[in-house]
């Protein structure tokens, strides 16, 4: 339920609707803590929010283009434009409240 983006697919992946992108690294402990939270959110918000992730070690161009300096960084896009950004591992409730706010 969480699409894996690359440098080549990034722009296409965030251009339509509300998209939450997780900029992560496989070696990052807080990123690993966030995985089950994002999986549950992707299930609960299926059809309303698109969930994607991008490995910053393998696809650094997208990370640089989006000024990602720390991971995990969660960026909310609406129709290709950044709406909100959160840093670090987040609780389900925090992310759900932000998604609800963005969904209006």
């Amino acid at each position: 339920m969480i699409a894996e983006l690359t440098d080549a697919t990034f722009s296409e992946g965030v251009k339509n609707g509300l998209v939450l992108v997780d900029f992560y690294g496989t070696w990052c402990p807080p990123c690993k803590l966030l995985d089950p939270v994002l999986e549950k959110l992707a299930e609960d918000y299926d059809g309303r929010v698109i969930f994607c992730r991008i490995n910053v070690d393998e696809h650094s161009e997208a990370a640089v283009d989006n000024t990602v300096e720390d991971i995990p960084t969660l960026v909310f896009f609406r129709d290709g434009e950044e709406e909100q950004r959160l840093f670090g591992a987040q609780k389900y409730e925090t992310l759900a409240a932000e998604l609800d706010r963005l969904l209006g």
Side-chain angles (χ1 to χ4, degrees), residues 77-98:
F77 292 89
R78 185 182 312 275
D79 299 326
E81 298 296 322
E82 183 177 330
E83 293 249 330
Q84 174 70 332
R85 183 178 291 231
L86 298 173
F87 304 98
Q90 302 288 325
K91 293 182 181 180
Y92 176 94
E93 295 78 13
T94 302
L95 293 173
E98 190 60 29

Side-chain angles (χ1 to χ4, degrees), residues 5-19:
L5 298 176
T6 66
D7 286 334
T9 62
F10 188 85
S11 293
E12 186 70 23
V14 301
K15 77 175 192 175
N16 293 314
L18 182 59
V19 182

Side-chain angles (χ1 to χ4, degrees), residues 25-85:
T26 57
W27 50 267
C28 166
C31 298
K32 291 177 183 179
L33 288 173
L34 194 54
D35 284 345
V37 172
L38 293 176
E39 289 171 14
K40 177 71 172 138
L41 285 165
E43 182 181 312
D44 292 349
Y45 286 84
D46 186 33
R48 297 184 290 159
V49 179
I50 299 165
F51 290 82
C52 302
R53 58 191 329 209
I54 186 162
N55 183 322
V56 299
D57 294 318
E58 295 175 2
H59 305 285
S60 60
E61 185 178 310
V64 170
D65 290 348
N66 287 278
T67 320
V68 173
E69 298 175 354
D70 295 309
I71 57 173
T73 294
L74 300 169
V75 183
F76 300 82
F77 292 89
R78 185 182 312 275
D79 299 326
E81 298 296 322
E82 183 177 330
E83 293 249 330
Q84 174 70 332
R85 183 178 291 231

